Amino acid sequence: LAKTTQPISMDSYEGQEVNITCSHNNIATNDYITWYQQFPSQGPRFIIQGYKTKVTNEVASLFIPADRKSSTLSLPRVSLSDTAVYYCLVGGVSGGSYIPTFGRGTSLIVHP
Amino acid sequence: DAGVTQSPTHLIKTRGQHVTLRCSPISGHKSVSWYQQVLGQGPQFIFQYYEKEERGRGNFPDRFSARQFPNYSSELNVNALLLGDSALYLCASSWVTSGRDTQYFGPGTRLTVL
């Protein structure tokens, strides 16, 4: 099963670009990389998903190098409302079953 | 369309009791997954069901069980509650069961065991 490692916390200021990197050294060939955002006492919310290279949507970009052993979530021009915990999720298959594994997440604090 | 719904929102139990948590997936989704999230940690996978069959199980004791109904809703049951079972229990639904399929999470049930 793929294990993910992220920085525990990050600080930024409004208007800046934030990049959060996730390490997943033993990612499997069929695994996708998904990022979620979570506010206190709420369920995680889907941000973006990718398999390789770069993916961009209206809220973020996801960069995945060729070896896929890491991925970087990029949040452009963060605001105070982006203060949350960000999780990298890599899907894993064990015994024919899909076992998703969340890391401990990165707590992002955006300052005025 | 309504999102994933969970009930109850909050629950207080005492050690040794039994609890049942409920989840209704997004309309059209056939897969439901359950996660336990202890304060300060990421969600830990408990079970995944697809078309009423168990498709995945995390590293949790047999006190934890689940099932999925013909309408794709699901129940998570925990027997002989321990203090350490206090957590936010999250339900997520998706179309199928694969790493590519996006999971949509409900608001969770906050379980407190005294």
Side-chain angles (χ1 to χ4, degrees):
Chain A
L1 299 179
K3 179 180 177 180
T4 61
T5 303
Q6 304 173 231
I8 294 175
S9 64
M10 295 183 68
D11 288 88
S12 184
Y13 292 89
E14 285 190 292
Q16 289 189 333
E17 178 185 73
V18 171
N19 295 308
I20 306 174
T21 298
C22 178
S23 172
H24 28 79
N25 291 322
N26 58 339
I27 188 170
T29 302
N30 295 331
D31 288 346
Y32 279 73
I33 301 156
T34 311
W35 284 80
Y36 288 86
Q37 176 194 56
Q38 187 177 31
F39 297 109
S41 297
Q42 294 186 23
R45 183 176 72 96
F46 172 84
I47 300 174
I48 196 167
Q49 183 184 73
Y51 182 79
K52 61 180 180 180
T53 62
K54 177 183 176 182
V55 179
T56 298
N57 62 21
E58 63 277 8
V59 298
S61 295
L62 179 60
F63 299 91
I64 305 170
D67 65 5
R68 305 203 325 122
K69 292 183 182 299
S70 67
S71 59
T72 299
L73 172 71
S74 181
L75 305 172
R77 299 179 300 281
V78 294
S79 64
L80 296 177
S81 63
D82 293 317
T83 294
V85 179
Y86 292 82
Y87 292 99
C88 164
L89 171 65
V90 176
V93 177
S94 176
S97 300
Y98 170 59
I99 309 291
T101 304
F102 279 91
R104 297 193 65 170
T106 298
S107 176
L108 171 65
I109 298 176
V110 179
H111 302 276
Chain B
D1 262 346
V4 177
T5 59
Q6 294 185 243
S7 63
T9 304
H10 296 87
L11 202 54
I12 298 175
K13 293 285 189 178
T14 58
R15 282 178 296 176
Q17 286 189 312
H18 164 270
V19 68
T20 297
L21 310 181
R22 296 177 174 82
C23 171
S24 292
I26 291 171
S27 177
H29 285 188
K30 297 182 178 181
S31 177
V32 170
S33 298
W34 287 95
Y35 294 83
Q36 180 195 66
Q37 186 173 28
V38 175
L39 195 63
Q41 297 186 18
Q44 297 299 305
F45 174 75
I46 309 175
F47 288 109
Q48 185 175 61
Y49 277 77
Y50 176 71
E51 289 282 15
K52 302 181 290 296
E53 291 187 1
E54 183 182 302
R55 292 298 184 93
R57 172 186 285 254
N59 188 26
F60 280 79
D62 291 342
R63 299 185 296 108
F64 289 77
S65 64
R67 56 179 175 169
Q68 186 178 32
F69 300 99
N71 66 353
Y72 302 110
S73 66
S74 178
E75 282 183 355
L76 175 70
N77 295 283
V78 186
N79 293 322
L81 285 168
L82 303 174
L83 295 179
D85 294 331
S86 294
L88 181 67
Y89 287 84
L90 296 162
C91 172
S93 76
S94 58
W95 291 102
V96 290
T97 61
S98 76
R100 184 174 187 175
D101 200 40
T102 300
Q103 296 194 34
Y104 294 87
F105 285 83
T109 293
R110 171 70 63 185
L111 172 64
T112 300
V113 181
L114 302 177

